[in-house]
Amino acid sequence: MPDYQPVPITLDPIETASAGELRALQEERLRDTVRHAYANSPHYRAAFDEIGVRPADIGGLDDLGSLPFTTKEDLRRGYPFGMFAVPREQVARIHASSGTTGQSTVVGYTAGDLRTWAKLMARSLRAAGARPGQLLHNAYGYGLFTGGLGVHAGAEELGCTVVPVSGGMTERQVRLIADFRPDIITATPTYMLAIADEMERQGIDPAGTSLKVGVFGAEPWTDELRRTLEERLALHAVDIYGLSEVIGPGVAQECLETKDGLHIWEDHFYPEIVDPASGATVPDGQFGELVFTSLTKQAMPVLRYRTGDLTRLLPGTARPMRRMEKITGRTDDMIILRGVNIFPTQIEELLLRQPALAPHFQCVRGKDGPLDTLTVTTEPAAGVSPETAADAGRELADRIKNTIGVTVAVEIVPAGSVERSAGKMRRVVDHR
Ligand code: DLL
């Protein structure tokens, strides 16, 4: 890791506000959001009416539980603009999910929403250790995905020099890093690994670049991958979380000085954790599905949006606002194998402890007669013989058996043959 210490900088007053001040603001904003959603969104008016709730019934955060959940299904049904709560003419920008797991979902922002988003992204980058005047290499994809443009606006807002590279063309990414000497890089953690591989291929030492901080997110990643990235690239690796339905990147951010989970910007997004099966709210500290209520969004307010992401809420540390632990996985990426629940992050954690194996892998689901199977496909690490990698693969299978309690196959494929992505890596492949 580098000895980089960002210069001290002034925070937004709300970032250091007392619990009481924060709560008062959240309650006022919640009441406004509920009134706005009921008055202007046909979806929410119908959802409230169906269960007999009126905006006046929501006096504060304690009443949140009486509001209906919002799901991805609701957004799909409203395709394309059915969830907007302002006339389309007032929507300044549209983003959309790729729709790999179903129909794409569309989100919209007023000019005011875009300003809020840029401010929160700037707050996130500042917490990550970025400072005005630094050069930021943005390798999140530009386009309908919120990563590229979201990070871009926040970096400009903070006063950075932004290099809008987008994802892909990895050879060029490496050249630009060498030539422009950025301080900060923003990318998915798996794409950062691919960039590091390309540096090595070009004979550039990944630990010798100008990079000081990597702001990695948009997909689940573990503390083991943090260690791998920090050692290999000699930078600080911090986690950034967000989702388009809520705003995009900049919903929650890990602080450079603590690296202990992500502070949720609760003055704009109110979090709850619910039991994924029953929907009952669980107390802070307990695992479950993350649910968000937007508190300031105008174009597309969301009430109790079910993210499908699994984590737990923890008290504040570097900032008073609560933290969420690194995401374990998504409910739809959970593999149930012979009654045992497995997340790709658990595999990642064990795989990265095998230095003879590359950090690239996929979980391939298959069938053996009536039985479901799981094969972890991975590659030998650079310079490792197939025989040594095969031994490490057998050891990995043993460790998976001993810690997760389930038998999987580990298949070592030639270097470069595990699928790569310039954005979100597809961890689970279903061949059943
Ligand atoms: O991935 C927004 C984003 C861009 C976040 C750049 C961070 C950096 P979506 O494409 O809508 O938005 O995907 C949202 O990605 O529900 C999670 O399942 C996953 N995800 C996002 N950040 C993290 C993270 C962007 N830090 C979905 N850790 C979310 C784990 C994450 N999963």
Side-chain angles (χ1 to χ4, degrees):
M1 247 197 319
D3 44 19
Y4 171 64
Q5 286 292 338
V7 295
I9 193 171
T10 318
L11 303 179
D12 294 341
I14 193 68
E15 280 184 86
T16 50
S18 69
E21 282 170 312
L22 177 62
R23 191 170 172 100
L25 182 69
Q26 289 169 326
E27 301 217 308
E28 187 193 318
R29 289 180 165 178
L30 174 67
R31 287 189 293 268
D32 285 350
T33 297
V34 167
R35 269 196 300 269
H36 171 52
Y38 187 79
N40 299 306
S41 154
H43 165 78
Y44 282 115
R45 177 174 290 252
F48 277 47
D49 287 350
E50 195 182 317
I51 55 171
V53 174
R54 304 258 135 195
D57 299 333
I58 309 301
L61 293 167
D62 289 340
D63 303 318
L64 202 57
S66 43
L67 291 178
F69 286 121
T70 309
T71 63
K72 205 167 184 88
E73 227 3 81
D74 293 323
L75 268 68
R76 287 198 185 118
R77 263 198 299 272
Y79 180 88
F81 302 150
M83 291 297 284
F84 291 179
V86 298
R88 208 272 306 134
E89 293 72 13
Q90 288 173 31
V91 174
R93 196 190 303 157
I94 282 165
H95 281 282
S97 76
S98 56
T100 41
T101 55
Q103 194 184 15
S104 105
T105 50
V106 174
V107 298
Y109 306 76
T110 62
D113 293 334
L114 290 176
R115 272 193 298 278
T116 304
W117 186 17
K119 288 210 166 73
L120 290 174
M121 242 336 290
R123 190 196 283 181
S124 299
L125 290 169
R126 192 173 58 210
R131 290 294 178 265
Q134 289 184 328
L135 202 111
L136 184 144
H137 177 112
N138 185 15
Y140 284 118
Y142 281 65
L144 288 173
F145 174 54
T146 51
L149 286 165
V151 169
H152 184 106
E156 284 188 351
E157 173 74 22
L158 182 62
C160 293
T161 308
V162 194
V163 189
V165 196
S166 193
M169 294 201 267
T170 313
E171 266 184 63
R172 191 180 65 171
Q173 304 265 355
V174 170
R175 195 169 64 243
L176 293 179
I177 293 168
D179 293 348
F180 294 178
R181 301 192 55 75
D183 305 282
I184 315 289
I185 188 161
T186 51
T188 63
T190 54
Y191 189 49
M192 189 71 245
L193 286 173
I195 295 176
D197 286 354
E198 176 59 23
M199 287 176 179
E200 272 165 11
R201 202 191 62 80
Q202 294 186 24
I204 294 173
D205 176 11
T209 73
S210 57
L211 293 169
K212 300 178 177 77
V213 179
V215 189
F216 302 128
E219 60 186 1
W221 60 297
T222 59
D223 279 321
E224 274 65 27
L225 186 50
R226 187 207 307 279
R227 263 192 288 282
T228 302
L229 289 165
E230 291 192 332
E231 275 170 26
R232 198 156 166 217
L233 286 136
L235 45 62
H236 291 280
V238 288
D239 198 353
I240 181 166
Y241 171 86
L243 62 167
S244 359
E245 297 88 331
V246 171
I247 205 155
V251 172
Q253 173 67 50
E254 197 164 47
C255 286
L256 179 91
E257 61 270 41
T258 37
K259 294 181 189 160
D260 59 352
L262 305 90
H263 289 274
I264 298 169
W265 304 134
E266 282 194 70
D267 48 336
H268 294 271
F269 315 108
Y270 190 81
E272 297 171 87
I273 299 287
V274 304
D275 180 314
S278 70
T281 311
V282 304
D284 285 10
Q286 272 186 37
F287 277 100
E289 179 181 349
L290 186 58
V291 169
F292 278 110
T293 298
S294 71
L295 297 176
T296 53
K297 272 210 308 178
Q298 292 303 308
M300 208 186 102
V302 284
L303 303 176
R304 308 194 79 206
Y305 183 73
R306 304 271 304 241
T307 65
D309 295 322
L310 300 167
T311 183
R312 58 186 181 139
L313 295 177
L314 301 166
T317 50
R319 302 282 188 278
M321 289 188 206
R322 280 177 290 177
R323 288 167 299 147
M324 53 186 253
E325 201 165 69
K326 266 176 126 8
I327 301 272
T328 310
R330 300 180 48 79
T331 40
D332 41 0
D333 260 358
M334 186 173 83
I335 300 164
I336 306 176
L337 194 65
R338 297 183 281 282
V340 180
N341 298 347
I342 311 166
F343 290 99
T345 47
Q346 292 173 284
I347 306 286
E348 179 179 287
E349 196 177 320
L350 296 172
L351 181 137
L352 291 174
R353 292 184 196 155
Q354 297 289 337
L357 299 178
H360 313 285
F361 73 96
Q362 275 187 321
C363 300
V364 183
R365 307 186 67 171
K367 277 253 180 234
D368 182 11
L371 284 183
D372 278 356
T373 60
L374 180 64
T375 305
V376 177
T377 310
T378 181
E379 301 169 5
V384 170
S385 73
E387 295 72 33
T388 310
D391 285 343
R394 275 187 288 276
E395 199 174 316
L396 174 61
D398 284 348
R399 291 213 178 160
I400 293 172
K401 172 88 194 155
N402 294 335
T403 47
I404 310 177
V406 65
T407 303
V408 307
V410 176
E411 187 190 359
I412 313 288
V413 295
S417 35
V418 170
E419 184 181 303
R420 304 286 201 273
S421 162
K424 295 172 191 272
M425 167 84 190
R426 187 163 65 120
R427 279 293 189 221
V428 182
V429 183
D430 203 337
H431 283 167
R432 286 173 302 168

